[in-house]
Amino acid sequence: MRVLGIETSCDETGVALYDSERGLLADALYSQIEMHIEHGGVVPELASRDHVRRLIPLIEQIFHDAGIERGDVDGIAYTAGPGLVGALMVGASTAHGLARAWQVPVLGVHHMEGHLLAPMLEEAHPDFPFIALLVSGGHTQLVEVRALGDYHLLGESLDDAAGEAFDKAARMLSLPYPGGPQIARLAERGNPQRFRFPRPMTDRPGLDFSFSGLKTHTLTAVRKLEAAGELDEQARADIARAFEEAVADTLVIKCRRALDQTGLKRLVVAGGVSANRRLRERLDAMVAKREARAFYPRGRFCTDNGAMIAYVGAQRLAAGERDDTSLRATPRWPLAELVVPQ
């Protein structure tokens, strides 16, 4: 089955062609980061308008890159949620319009299911079941993945997602959006011995996360140095290092607990924050001690992308799922509402 995947949930326009027999045929991604930098974050109306401008040219590009005729697909998958409602509507309306023109089935899929299964696009991919850490700007969740659509939520953030905490910490340090890569670059020059920030909710049982206290601790450290006239470039780097290490350690501790609790030996890490080098190093060290293995999507598939949507769409369309004529755009869509294909 050959499927066109469309991703427009937030600030990246992603499209891809996936073939069940040949794998990924072509993919393209346009990031709106430069447009949103001056606003310090994503402006929903601007994001939606830019998806309108970029989507059709990108679709034409991947058909050309794959060397196949436009419309030569067996189905179309698009992100139906969660995400920004206007951005989701752009993808949904385009997918339904093309599906009607090409007379193929169309299906709205869950954005986070795409991230969950993004490592399946790699040659070395995990078998079911496995533990998945979904860690991005909007989500921090630990999920037991038993099969396609069979997901059991083990823990999640009670407040800010890890990626959101990175963005807020970056603003405290006068770093531009998006905060994750900026914090990571600055942290490389930081002294790991100068500060030690708390590892939130690791001193109690359970698999939930909370990053609000860490955010407050970071702000207090910044203001204290500012008041003393000591917030120079090295101090900013030292704070960035302490913050990054606290987030990484917290995520690793919770992943370790999830593996121990379930007895599973495979860990999938996906979402934008999964690209963080320090996090990967510490996760790899942790799973090695347990004779387990960690799986990551390639760099460009850590963030939002069309390939993961095309892959999930191919699995579910092959199982007979499809939309009716109604457009689906669900800004809030719990992962637990997904079902196993029949």
Side-chain angles (χ1 to χ4, degrees):
M1 172 171 280
R2 184 183 295 164
V3 174
L4 167 66
I6 297 173
E7 157 60 28
T8 62
S9 64
C10 189
D11 60 342
E12 281 146 336
T13 311
V15 295
L17 287 166
Y18 178 82
D19 188 291
S20 298
E21 295 183 357
R22 297 169 56 196
L24 186 64
L25 303 179
D27 70 284
L29 181 72
Y30 180 83
S31 174
Q32 301 175 359
I33 285 177
E34 292 299 324
M35 180 177 68
H36 296 296
I37 280 178
E38 62 180 292
H39 305 287
V42 177
V43 180
E45 179 64 21
L46 295 180
S48 301
R49 292 180 182 182
D50 202 58
H51 287 310
V52 172
R53 285 191 292 268
R54 308 291 178 181
L55 189 51
I56 294 300
L58 285 175
I59 291 173
E60 292 179 339
Q61 175 188 327
I62 61 168
F63 276 105
H64 177 269
D65 292 347
I68 63 176
E69 294 294 322
R70 282 180 295 176
D72 187 11
V73 295
D74 301 302
I76 301 174
Y78 66 94
T79 300
L84 304 175
V85 65
L88 293 170
M89 283 299 296
V90 174
S93 58
T94 301
H96 273 264
L98 292 176
R100 179 169 295 186
W102 295 340
Q103 297 185 326
V104 296
V106 60
L107 179 67
V109 303
H110 196 289
H111 176 77
M112 298 311 294
E113 185 173 31
H115 279 303
L116 267 182
L117 302 182
M120 297 300 192
L121 293 162
E122 308 302 327
E123 185 175 347
H125 58 265
D127 296 323
F128 297 116
F130 55 81
I131 296 297
L133 171 66
L134 297 177
V135 57
S136 67
H139 299 83
T140 303
Q141 297 179 324
L142 274 168
V143 182
E144 183 179 353
V145 179
R146 299 163 179 162
L148 177 69
D150 188 358
Y151 310 130
H152 176 59
L153 182 64
L154 301 175
E156 62 184 337
S157 180
L158 304 178
D159 39 63
D160 292 351
E164 185 180 3
F166 267 108
D167 287 339
K168 291 179 178 178
R171 285 198 292 271
M172 297 173 197
L173 295 171
S174 302
L175 297 172
Y177 170 88
Q182 301 292 338
I183 289 278
R185 278 192 286 270
L186 184 59
E188 288 301 314
R189 306 196 300 273
N191 176 3
Q193 307 302 321
R194 183 172 181 183
F195 299 107
R196 178 175 172 81
F197 287 2
R199 277 58 174 163
M201 294 186 70
T202 58
D203 59 349
R204 67 189 77 175
L207 295 173
D208 286 330
F209 304 87
S210 172
F211 294 103
S212 62
L214 176 59
K215 179 183 62 179
T216 301
H217 189 94
T218 304
L219 180 60
T220 300
V222 170
R223 287 179 172 172
K224 183 177 180 180
L225 290 171
E226 281 180 332
E230 298 174 356
L231 189 63
D232 56 16
E233 188 64 16
Q234 185 58 52
R236 293 170 67 245
D238 295 342
I239 289 175
R241 180 65 177 266
F243 177 85
E244 183 186 45
E245 292 203 348
V247 173
D249 283 351
T250 299
L251 295 172
V252 170
I253 290 168
K254 298 291 185 170
C255 287
R256 183 181 67 215
R257 288 182 184 176
L259 291 172
D260 291 346
Q261 177 177 308
T262 61
L264 295 176
K265 296 293 185 179
R266 291 178 289 271
L267 173 68
V268 160
V269 188
V273 180
S274 71
N276 182 273
R277 181 184 62 81
R278 204 173 310 279
L279 174 62
R280 289 195 178 201
E281 289 175 351
R282 297 192 178 186
L283 285 170
D284 287 340
M286 181 271 291
V287 297
K289 291 180 180 178
R290 281 162 172 70
E291 297 183 342
R293 184 176 177 185
F295 297 84
Y296 311 92
R298 70 194 76 171
R300 74 178 190 272
F301 294 158
C302 289
T303 56
D304 297 347
N305 63 87
M308 65 184 191
I309 302 304
Y311 176 82
V312 172
Q315 310 313 306
R316 289 189 171 272
L317 284 165
E321 295 187 27
R322 60 244 311 111
D323 283 357
D324 56 22
T325 57
S326 303
L327 301 186
R328 295 174 61 194
T330 310
R332 297 183 180 275
W333 186 3
L335 194 62
E337 292 183 1
L338 292 177
V339 297
V340 180
Q342 300 300 314

